[in-house]
Amino acid sequence: MAGSSFGTIFRVTTWGESHGPALGAVVDGCPSGLPLSSEDFIAMMSRRRPGSSIMSTARSEADLVEILSGTFEGMTTGTPIMLLIKNTDHHSADYTEIADKYRPGHADFGFDVKYGIRDYRGGGRSSGRETAARCAAGVIAEKVLESAGISFVTEVESIGGIPYEESEDFIRHLRSEGDSCGSVVLCTVKGVPAGIGDPVFEKLDANLAKAVVSIGAVKSVDIGLGHQAAESRGSMFNDAFVSTGNGITTGTNNAGGILGGISTGNDIVIRAYFKPTPSISLHQETVRSDGTACGIDIRGRHDPVIGKRAAAVVESMAACTILDSMLINMSARLSSFRSFYGNK
Amino acid sequence: MAGSSFGTIFRVTTWGESHGPALGAVVDGCPSGLPLSSEDFIAMMSRRRPGSSIMSTARSEADLVEILSGTFEGMTTGTPIMLLIKNTDHHSADYTEIADKYRPGHADFGFDVKYGIRDYRGGGRSSGRETAARCAAGVIAEKVLESAGISFVTEVESIGGIPYEESEDFIRHLRSEGDSCGSVVLCTVKGVPAGIGDPVFEKLDANLAKAVVSIGAVKSVDIGLGHQAAESRGSMFNDAFVSTGNGITTGTNNAGGILGGISTGNDIVIRAYFKPTPSISLHQETVRSDGTACGIDIRGRHDPVIGKRAAAVVESMAACTILDSMLINMSARLSSFRSFYGNK
Amino acid sequence: MAGSSFGTIFRVTTWGESHGPALGAVVDGCPSGLPLSSEDFIAMMSRRRPGSSIMSTARSEADLVEILSGTFEGMTTGTPIMLLIKNTDHHSADYTEIADKYRPGHADFGFDVKYGIRDYRGGGRSSGRETAARCAAGVIAEKVLESAGISFVTEVESIGGIPYEESEDFIRHLRSEGDSCGSVVLCTVKGVPAGIGDPVFEKLDANLAKAVVSIGAVKSVDIGLGHQAAESRGSMFNDAFVSTGNGITTGTNNAGGILGGISTGNDIVIRAYFKPTPSISLHQETVRSDGTACGIDIRGRHDPVIGKRAAAVVESMAACTILDSMLINMSARLSSFRSFYGNK
Amino acid sequence: MAGSSFGTIFRVTTWGESHGPALGAVVDGCPSGLPLSSEDFIAMMSRRRPGSSIMSTARSEADLVEILSGTFEGMTTGTPIMLLIKNTDHHSADYTEIADKYRPGHADFGFDVKYGIRDYRGGGRSSGRETAARCAAGVIAEKVLESAGISFVTEVESIGGIPYEESEDFIRHLRSEGDSCGSVVLCTVKGVPAGIGDPVFEKLDANLAKAVVSIGAVKSVDIGLGHQAAESRGSMFNDAFVSTGNGITTGTNNAGGILGGISTGNDIVIRAYFKPTPSISLHQETVRSDGTACGIDIRGRHDPVIGKRAAAVVESMAACTILDSMLINMSARLSSFRSFYGNK
């Protein structure tokens, strides 16, 4: 089915495989009047790019984002923005050995069962490279949000259970062993006004959860204190409301800025839990597509930890989600409708 | 916006407030030919009903589900099924003190900011009572899934960090103190075939995450090992594929039955982390809608722990999500299309 | 599939069969703060009601609309509004003869092929009675639009090719013969501001066309001069733009108020072409569900012309479509976003 | 809003302006296993291409369709198919005079009011050139449908009220006068099985109406006898059901193959009524964006009649609509679900 679109008003549709000529995103529903050029994408794309840290592979694609539509004289026009990223550094030869073996931890088997055909070169559509298109879309979302004073702080919190800043030796060790490990990304969104999100199925946190878990290697997502909430008591967990210079919000923020699916005006706090990179150099057991058992040795360049590069993806997905919710929210009240269209 | 619908082919639309005359769900897109009667709902509704365990309030609504449309001679016809549940036991008088105070941990403040108006009687639309409609829909989803050999095991795993079976004294203690605590619900889905789910934004786990986090008090969701994956190594976390009598699947199941958004044929394992019930009897600090500080004493009957009743809701949301994904999946291959419509 | 919902932000989900206990609509996404009570529905429902003119049947249901959710103290709250209409006047006994015969001009055969089961009592879900729910939803849409100065004039233009005001004798004649005929409904919407609608697939006229053709008996829809445009020349058809006291619009209105899918500020002009009521008293040839040929004599009360009652339905569908488009349009520009959320 | 997508399971998202570097479509949800290459697009693209008949302009773009994703070794994989068409023959210089004048019959004014910015070069997003992307998508839909024995016959029926085959002199005359005229396109779809479409808002004819009216210059759409149905009598219009060697269908086909929104198995008959090409060489009156009156002389190459090229677009939109409906229909019955997933 058509599963490559995300969002209602601000809708991102990604396309492309890791080893085709290009991949990208169509960003439809972006408000008109936003200054936008290829340069805007450079910072985000280099945060996500391989080779940008000790954690990541040496694969070094420039990941320049070309804007093929949707802008005129440097401004968005409200029409779909086509963002194209060329694949310049792929080596199909690396993947022949895995054409009929199912790599543990990957979607290979699922694709074969579902579709009966699979682009085995580097994961094809399920490659982490698809997230480059999400980051390109996220740049646009963040630019719109920035105009309303909203900003993001996203960082790797821990690597294999070790605080990020203490984990460098551990990563070198993993790499030398040919192994990988999981990580936690913490994304804090500042400046989201109270009142964003919808009460039932379209809760802001529900959509953030979907957004974050739709990133390939994520196995869990927390809002605020997240899974620790299950061990807490109401008398300690409840955040008291207080009045501030900017109006009402909560004093503490155990809820992570969202109550009942609607933002409280406090920081929105999201944690994404990434599993270990499934591609490891160590020998593994698996089966071939005909069901016969075999060993598998995955070659190629793979990050021992996905967190550092994935931080850009988590942030991008959060930005797209929050922007969509804010655009939707503009029509929540009759008084807004009347004031927009003239009170007659 | 229209935020009360869930699903694409099998779509559930809930409606109703806790203190109106009734609430319910429209289940649209249910396959035709399913036997369905009011009796089918009794077991699930009593799992969710208040007063069904030591953990829950004494409020005892029968929660009979009336079928107003969509069946003929006891079978679903493919047209929308309207499920109506009357509200028979509400006491509006309990809620006057909180009409202009924002209850900590509740959506009151968000509703007021978003809509400028709020049904303060028992939470209105954001009341946990809305989940009765989800459970009614879940019954239908489970009946369809059952016809393909899919079953659910859902249980409370822990209460405030204590294993469920050891927590009875703790709950009595909480209740006597007027406090509440969080809980963990574990839902295991057995028999889902491999190949269900879509590769990118409509990943099966992404939709399950949205489904589960859309339940009011959930602050985190795990798929498989979930947040523990972030502390694990690839060599240990990766599940090796194996051949079984039923075809290929994974030997271990750290992934929780989903890889790259697509089911592996192994059990689907979901954990929902519930925050402590926000309504506690203890005195709390908050503000009025005009921003002035005040204390608040919440009266009424409230569960000290939400887990036991919420298990039915988690299961229902999982059932709706998986069924929708399975219905969508039927058209994934050209060979299925040709075989359905005749190979000409 | 879930085919009973219409709209994106303002979404109407109808449910119910002609011969079940009730039918209705869930209106989700209505802006909060709209005064609404059961009385608001009376005028529209009586326009649609059987027996309201010489053209229609004697079936006389009161069609009272009960509001089961979504309002508080007489105002909409932004949550889903459940509208329930009881079926009080059905005679299942009328329909036994047609249980296994396919009525010409009806959906009976299609339902059987698609679903393998069919509620044959009065058409079930495909009965014209389903449109009562659309009219109830339309009342709400019109009330919101009215607050922005938008109004509707809807009338039957012709009956069987004869101007409406000259057709009374013709209808009496049809009725005496047991025959039926087609009709044209003209709906004019005044006051829609320029700029409403989207450029490509979500054109305002495309959505109006879907809305109108989704009414059972409609076989054609015109926007502005409609099908006559195909016989016209550009030099005559093009509407020159002019400046008026209210800003720019077109001087003439051959386009019917929409160009390129976006409103021009001129009246929106829609014509719906209804086929003859398929249920006629005359003997007809058809087949049984097993394929054997047979004659069929349809008893019961049926309108010889559907136009008069259907006018309310056309207007209601137009109102829902235009309102949804106007709500969506509020987030089209970055400047609106910034002004709504504060220019920081 | 995100208005550039069409379809639920088979979803087409178009992007691009007439004078940007390229335009195209993302086709998401195409079943896997369909052979597809660039050559498949040549025939359809040349039917739509300018210069392909006496009716059209001399602009001669090759309109080669490049496949950037979604296929592997010449077969679709189920992932989004990115179709890119370069714009090779645009002359921006032609459009400077119209930068601040609103062309009669065009969307210029609507775009300015809605978005506050507009790509005035050749209509930008509202240019007829956008339909090239629809035709590319239509090729894929037709290939899938062809595998189930479904075929299309699409032709221009009349030009300015004159039968197509008699209109050549008239067109020459129009061209010499610098004028344009409307046309009627007739699209007949053969082989669609009975049972396709949904009963209420997602009626097959409702979606076809939306699909066809979403083509820029269409002002009316007929299903079957269409607007003539309004002048007809039930005794003549109703199509009697008959048994044939292929099962039950209707003997006559006044309904155009659809009853109550569901296909009857007979030919689906659609007529699209196109207004005269709005760009004419004759001098016209209009206003500038500041509201001052002015004359306008539109230069450039424009078709005097849009029908011939538009036939390919009507057919493509019909194909996308019918395919989507057929994919959705595969999950309508519980028996199909059980048979697909194994009857356990």
Side-chain angles (χ1 to χ4, degrees):
Chain A
M1 96 132 172
S4 294
S5 295
F6 187 83
T8 298
I9 298 289
F10 182 87
R11 187 189 295 150
V12 177
T13 301
T14 70
W15 56 273
E17 282 80 34
S18 55
H19 287 67
L23 51 72
V26 180
V27 177
D28 199 9
C30 179
S32 63
L34 180 77
L36 189 72
S37 72
S38 281
E39 285 69 39
D40 290 319
F41 299 89
I42 294 174
M44 179 73 87
M45 299 315 284
S46 65
R47 283 170 62 192
R48 200 212 71 93
R49 194 174 54 211
S52 60
S53 86
I54 179 184
M55 283 186 252
S56 54
T57 72
R59 177 168 168 166
S60 60
E61 306 200 349
D63 283 350
L64 294 178
V65 177
E66 294 176 57
I67 303 172
L68 295 195
S69 68
T71 61
F72 183 60
E73 297 178 347
M75 303 277 270
T76 61
T77 59
T79 61
I81 304 166
M82 172 60 171
L83 304 170
L84 185 136
I85 306 166
K86 294 205 174 96
N87 287 323
T88 54
D89 183 39
H90 48 69
H91 302 262
S92 292
D94 287 349
Y95 296 98
T96 45
E97 122 111 344
I98 59 170
D100 77 334
K101 294 179 179 176
Y102 295 134
R103 292 170 298 162
H106 280 279
D108 303 349
F109 169 61
F111 266 72
D112 259 5
V113 176
K114 182 179 186 74
Y115 295 117
I117 180 175
R118 161 173 70 95
D119 182 349
Y120 51 76
R121 299 166 304 166
R125 182 68 179 147
S126 68
S127 164
R129 183 145 176 76
E130 181 267 340
T131 61
R134 302 185 185 209
C135 288
V139 165
I140 297 177
E142 285 201 25
K143 282 203 74 170
V144 176
L145 291 170
E146 189 184 19
S147 77
I150 296 164
S151 61
F152 292 78
V153 179
T154 312
E155 58 205 335
V156 184
E157 197 171 56
S158 64
I159 301 281
I162 301 169
Y164 176 59
E165 49 285 351
E166 304 167 14
S167 63
E168 188 171 331
D169 285 348
F170 176 60
I171 296 168
R172 283 187 216 283
H173 179 69
L174 277 176
R175 192 186 287 275
S176 71
E177 284 196 329
D179 209 346
S180 66
C181 78
S183 54
V184 181
V185 168
L186 168 62
C187 176
T188 306
V189 194
K190 295 172 178 297
V192 177
I196 307 303
D198 279 273
V200 180
F201 296 115
E202 300 298 324
K203 285 185 166 80
L204 181 55
D205 38 356
N207 279 320
L208 286 167
K210 175 170 180 171
V212 168
V213 179
S214 80
I215 305 169
V218 172
K219 299 304 288 183
S220 180
V221 60
D222 279 356
I223 305 297
L225 286 196
H227 61 277
Q228 296 180 35
E231 305 188 8
S232 180
R233 294 197 187 188
S235 55
M236 295 169 65
F237 189 84
N238 279 353
D239 301 307
F241 285 102
V242 295
S243 280
T244 72
N246 273 323
I248 298 169
T249 188
T250 60
T252 53
N253 191 20
N254 296 324
I258 304 174
L259 285 174
I262 302 178
S263 62
T264 63
N266 215 318
D267 290 353
I268 292 178
V269 179
I270 308 155
R271 271 181 188 78
Y273 295 80
F274 286 86
K275 71 177 183 181
T277 317
S279 288
I280 56 175
S281 306
L282 292 168
H283 182 80
Q284 297 178 90
E285 296 304 312
T286 188
V287 298
R288 290 192 188 82
S289 53
D290 64 5
T292 56
C294 62
I296 186 166
D297 294 282
I298 297 173
R299 278 179 282 274
R301 303 146 302 175
H302 301 285
D303 301 348
V305 185
I306 212 168
K308 184 69 178 170
R309 295 172 56 195
V313 187
V314 172
E315 181 176 311
S316 293
M317 291 305 300
C320 292
T321 306
I322 291 168
L323 175 57
D324 195 35
S325 223
M326 289 180 72
L327 293 169
I328 287 169
N329 182 61
M330 292 173 67
S331 54
R333 289 186 187 206
L334 185 66
S335 55
S336 306
F337 178 81
R338 294 179 68 182
S339 128
F340 189 90
Y341 286 112
N343 198 328
K344 298 176 187 181
Chain B
M1 94 130 175
S4 294
S5 296
F6 187 81
T8 298
I9 298 290
F10 182 87
R11 187 189 294 150
V12 177
T13 300
T14 71
W15 56 273
E17 281 80 35
S18 55
H19 286 66
L23 51 73
V26 181
V27 177
D28 199 8
C30 179
S32 63
L34 181 77
L36 190 72
S37 72
S38 280
E39 286 69 39
D40 290 319
F41 299 90
I42 295 173
M44 179 74 86
M45 298 316 282
S46 64
R47 284 170 61 191
R48 200 212 71 91
R49 194 174 55 209
S52 60
S53 87
I54 178 185
M55 283 185 252
S56 55
T57 73
R59 177 169 167 163
S60 60
E61 307 201 348
D63 284 350
L64 294 178
V65 177
E66 295 175 57
I67 302 173
L68 296 195
S69 68
T71 61
F72 183 60
E73 298 177 346
M75 302 276 271
T76 61
T77 59
T79 61
I81 305 166
M82 173 60 171
L83 304 170
L84 185 136
I85 306 166
K86 294 206 173 96
N87 288 323
T88 55
D89 183 40
H90 45 69
H91 302 262
S92 292
D94 286 350
Y95 297 99
T96 45
E97 121 111 345
I98 60 168
D100 77 333
K101 293 179 179 176
Y102 294 135
R103 291 170 299 163
H106 280 279
D108 304 350
F109 169 61
F111 265 73
D112 259 5
V113 175
K114 182 178 185 73
Y115 295 117
I117 181 175
R118 163 172 69 93
D119 182 347
Y120 50 76
R121 300 167 304 165
R125 182 70 179 145
S126 67
S127 164
R129 184 146 175 75
E130 180 266 338
T131 60
R134 302 185 186 209
C135 288
V139 165
I140 298 177
E142 284 200 26
K143 281 202 73 168
V144 177
L145 291 171
E146 189 183 18
S147 77
I150 296 164
S151 61
F152 292 78
V153 179
T154 312
E155 56 203 339
V156 184
E157 197 172 56
S158 64
I159 301 280
I162 300 170
Y164 175 60
E165 50 284 353
E166 305 168 14
S167 64
E168 188 171 330
D169 285 348
F170 175 62
I171 296 169
R172 283 187 216 283
H173 179 69
L174 277 177
R175 194 188 286 275
S176 71
E177 284 197 328
D179 209 347
S180 66
C181 78
S183 53
V184 181
V185 169
L186 168 63
C187 176
T188 306
V189 195
K190 294 173 179 299
V192 177
I196 307 303
D198 279 274
V200 180
F201 296 116
E202 299 299 324
K203 285 185 165 80
L204 181 56
D205 39 355
N207 279 320
L208 287 167
K210 176 170 179 172
V212 168
V213 179
S214 78
I215 304 168
V218 172
K219 300 304 288 183
S220 180
V221 61
D222 279 355
I223 306 297
L225 286 197
H227 61 277
Q228 295 179 35
E231 304 187 7
S232 180
R233 293 197 188 188
S235 55
M236 296 169 64
F237 189 83
N238 279 352
D239 300 307
F241 286 101
V242 296
S243 281
T244 73
N246 273 322
I248 297 169
T249 187
T250 59
T252 53
N253 191 19
N254 296 322
I258 305 174
L259 286 173
I262 301 177
S263 62
T264 63
N266 215 318
D267 290 353
I268 292 179
V269 179
I270 308 157
R271 272 182 187 78
Y273 294 81
F274 285 85
K275 70 176 184 180
T277 317
S279 287
I280 55 176
S281 306
L282 294 168
H283 182 80
Q284 298 179 89
E285 297 302 314
T286 189
V287 298
R288 290 191 188 82
S289 54
D290 63 5
T292 57
C294 62
I296 186 166
D297 293 283
I298 297 173
R299 278 179 283 272
R301 304 146 302 174
H302 301 285
D303 301 347
V305 185
I306 212 168
K308 185 69 179 167
R309 296 172 55 196
V313 187
V314 171
E315 181 176 311
S316 293
M317 291 305 300
C320 292
T321 306
I322 290 168
L323 175 57
D324 194 36
S325 224
M326 288 180 72
L327 292 169
I328 287 170
N329 182 61
M330 292 172 68
S331 55
R333 289 187 188 202
L334 185 66
S335 56
S336 306
F337 178 82
R338 293 179 69 181
S339 129
F340 189 90
Y341 286 111
N343 197 328
K344 297 175 188 181
Chain C
M1 96 130 177
S4 294
S5 296
F6 187 82
T8 298
I9 297 290
F10 183 87
R11 187 189 295 150
V12 177
T13 301
T14 71
W15 56 273
E17 282 80 36
S18 54
H19 286 65
L23 51 73
V26 180
V27 177
D28 199 8
C30 179
S32 63
L34 180 77
L36 189 72
S37 72
S38 280
E39 286 69 39
D40 290 320
F41 298 89
I42 294 173
M44 178 74 86
M45 298 316 283
S46 64
R47 283 170 61 191
R48 200 212 71 92
R49 194 176 54 209
S52 59
S53 86
I54 178 186
M55 282 185 253
S56 53
T57 73
R59 177 169 168 162
S60 61
E61 307 201 348
D63 283 350
L64 294 178
V65 177
E66 295 175 56
I67 302 172
L68 295 195
S69 67
T71 61
F72 183 60
E73 298 178 346
M75 303 275 271
T76 62
T77 59
T79 62
I81 304 166
M82 173 61 171
L83 304 170
L84 186 137
I85 306 166
K86 295 207 173 96
N87 288 324
T88 54
D89 183 40
H90 46 69
H91 303 262
S92 291
D94 286 350
Y95 296 99
T96 44
E97 122 111 343
I98 59 169
D100 76 334
K101 293 179 179 175
Y102 295 135
R103 291 171 298 163
H106 280 279
D108 304 349
F109 169 61
F111 265 73
D112 259 5
V113 175
K114 183 178 185 72
Y115 295 117
I117 181 175
R118 162 172 71 94
D119 182 349
Y120 51 75
R121 299 168 303 167
R125 182 69 180 146
S126 68
S127 163
R129 183 142 177 78
E130 181 267 339
T131 60
R134 301 185 186 210
C135 288
V139 165
I140 298 178
E142 285 200 25
K143 281 202 74 168
V144 177
L145 291 171
E146 188 184 19
S147 76
I150 295 164
S151 61
F152 292 78
V153 179
T154 311
E155 57 204 338
V156 184
E157 197 173 57
S158 63
I159 300 280
I162 300 169
Y164 175 61
E165 50 284 351
E166 305 167 14
S167 63
E168 189 170 330
D169 285 347
F170 176 62
I171 296 169
R172 283 187 216 283
H173 179 69
L174 277 177
R175 195 187 285 274
S176 70
E177 285 197 328
D179 209 346
S180 66
C181 77
S183 53
V184 181
V185 169
L186 169 63
C187 175
T188 306
V189 195
K190 296 173 178 296
V192 177
I196 305 304
D198 278 274
V200 181
F201 297 115
E202 299 298 325
K203 286 185 164 80
L204 181 55
D205 38 355
N207 279 319
L208 287 167
K210 176 171 179 171
V212 168
V213 179
S214 79
I215 304 168
V218 172
K219 299 305 287 182
S220 179
V221 61
D222 279 355
I223 305 297
L225 286 197
H227 61 276
Q228 296 180 34
E231 304 187 8
S232 180
R233 295 199 187 186
S235 54
M236 296 169 65
F237 189 83
N238 279 352
D239 300 307
F241 285 102
V242 295
S243 281
T244 72
N246 273 323
I248 297 169
T249 188
T250 60
T252 53
N253 191 20
N254 296 323
I258 304 174
L259 286 174
I262 301 177
S263 62
T264 63
N266 215 318
D267 290 353
I268 292 178
V269 179
I270 307 157
R271 271 182 188 78
Y273 294 81
F274 286 85
K275 71 176 183 181
T277 316
S279 287
I280 55 176
S281 307
L282 294 168
H283 182 80
Q284 297 179 89
E285 296 303 315
T286 189
V287 298
R288 291 193 187 82
S289 54
D290 64 6
T292 56
C294 62
I296 186 166
D297 293 283
I298 297 172
R299 278 179 283 271
R301 304 147 303 176
H302 301 285
D303 301 347
V305 186
I306 212 168
K308 185 68 178 169
R309 295 172 58 197
V313 187
V314 171
E315 181 176 311
S316 293
M317 290 305 300
C320 292
T321 306
I322 290 168
L323 174 57
D324 194 36
S325 222
M326 288 181 72
L327 292 169
I328 286 169
N329 182 60
M330 291 173 67
S331 55
R333 289 187 186 203
L334 185 66
S335 55
S336 306
F337 178 82
R338 294 178 69 181
S339 126
F340 189 90
Y341 286 112
N343 197 330
K344 297 176 186 179
Chain D
M1 96 129 173
S4 295
S5 295
F6 187 82
T8 298
I9 297 290
F10 183 87
R11 188 189 294 150
V12 176
T13 301
T14 71
W15 56 273
E17 283 80 35
S18 56
H19 286 66
L23 52 71
V26 181
V27 177
D28 200 8
C30 179
S32 63
L34 180 77
L36 189 72
S37 72
S38 281
E39 285 68 40
D40 290 319
F41 299 90
I42 294 173
M44 179 73 87
M45 299 315 284
S46 64
R47 283 170 62 191
R48 201 212 71 92
R49 195 176 53 211
S52 59
S53 87
I54 180 183
M55 283 185 251
S56 54
T57 73
R59 177 168 167 164
S60 61
E61 306 200 349
D63 282 351
L64 294 178
V65 177
E66 293 176 58
I67 302 172
L68 295 194
S69 68
T71 61
F72 183 59
E73 297 178 347
M75 302 277 271
T76 61
T77 59
T79 61
I81 304 167
M82 171 60 172
L83 305 170
L84 185 137
I85 306 166
K86 296 208 173 95
N87 289 323
T88 54
D89 184 40
H90 47 67
H91 302 262
S92 292
D94 287 350
Y95 296 99
T96 45
E97 121 110 345
I98 60 169
D100 77 334
K101 293 179 179 176
Y102 294 135
R103 292 170 299 162
H106 279 279
D108 303 349
F109 169 61
F111 265 73
D112 259 6
V113 175
K114 182 178 186 73
Y115 295 117
I117 181 176
R118 162 172 69 95
D119 181 347
Y120 51 75
R121 298 167 305 165
R125 182 69 179 147
S126 67
S127 164
R129 183 144 177 78
E130 181 267 339
T131 60
R134 302 184 184 210
C135 288
V139 165
I140 297 177
E142 285 200 25
K143 282 203 74 169
V144 177
L145 291 171
E146 189 184 18
S147 77
I150 296 164
S151 61
F152 292 79
V153 179
T154 312
E155 57 204 336
V156 183
E157 196 172 56
S158 64
I159 300 280
I162 300 169
Y164 175 59
E165 50 284 352
E166 305 167 15
S167 63
E168 187 171 331
D169 285 348
F170 175 61
I171 296 168
R172 282 187 216 283
H173 179 69
L174 277 178
R175 194 188 285 276
S176 71
E177 283 196 329
D179 208 346
S180 66
C181 78
S183 54
V184 181
V185 169
L186 168 63
C187 176
T188 306
V189 195
K190 294 172 179 298
V192 177
I196 306 303
D198 279 274
V200 181
F201 297 116
E202 299 299 324
K203 284 185 166 81
L204 182 56
D205 39 355
N207 279 320
L208 286 167
K210 176 171 180 171
V212 168
V213 179
S214 79
I215 304 169
V218 172
K219 299 305 287 183
S220 179
V221 61
D222 278 356
I223 305 296
L225 285 198
H227 61 276
Q228 296 179 34
E231 305 187 8
S232 181
R233 294 196 187 191
S235 55
M236 296 169 65
F237 189 83
N238 279 353
D239 301 306
F241 285 102
V242 295
S243 280
T244 72
N246 273 323
I248 297 169
T249 188
T250 60
T252 52
N253 191 19
N254 296 324
I258 304 174
L259 285 174
I262 301 178
S263 61
T264 62
N266 215 318
D267 290 352
I268 292 178
V269 179
I270 308 156
R271 272 181 187 78
Y273 294 81
F274 285 86
K275 71 177 183 180
T277 317
S279 288
I280 54 176
S281 305
L282 293 168
H283 182 80
Q284 296 178 90
E285 297 302 313
T286 190
V287 298
R288 290 191 188 83
S289 54
D290 63 7
T292 56
C294 62
I296 185 166
D297 294 283
I298 298 173
R299 277 179 283 273
R301 302 147 301 174
H302 301 285
D303 301 347
V305 185
I306 212 168
K308 185 69 177 169
R309 295 172 56 196
V313 187
V314 171
E315 181 176 312
S316 293
M317 291 306 300
C320 292
T321 305
I322 290 168
L323 175 56
D324 195 34
S325 223
M326 289 181 71
L327 293 169
I328 287 169
N329 182 60
M330 293 172 66
S331 55
R333 288 185 186 207
L334 185 66
S335 54
S336 306
F337 178 81
R338 293 178 70 181
S339 127
F340 189 90
Y341 286 112
N343 198 328
K344 300 177 186 182

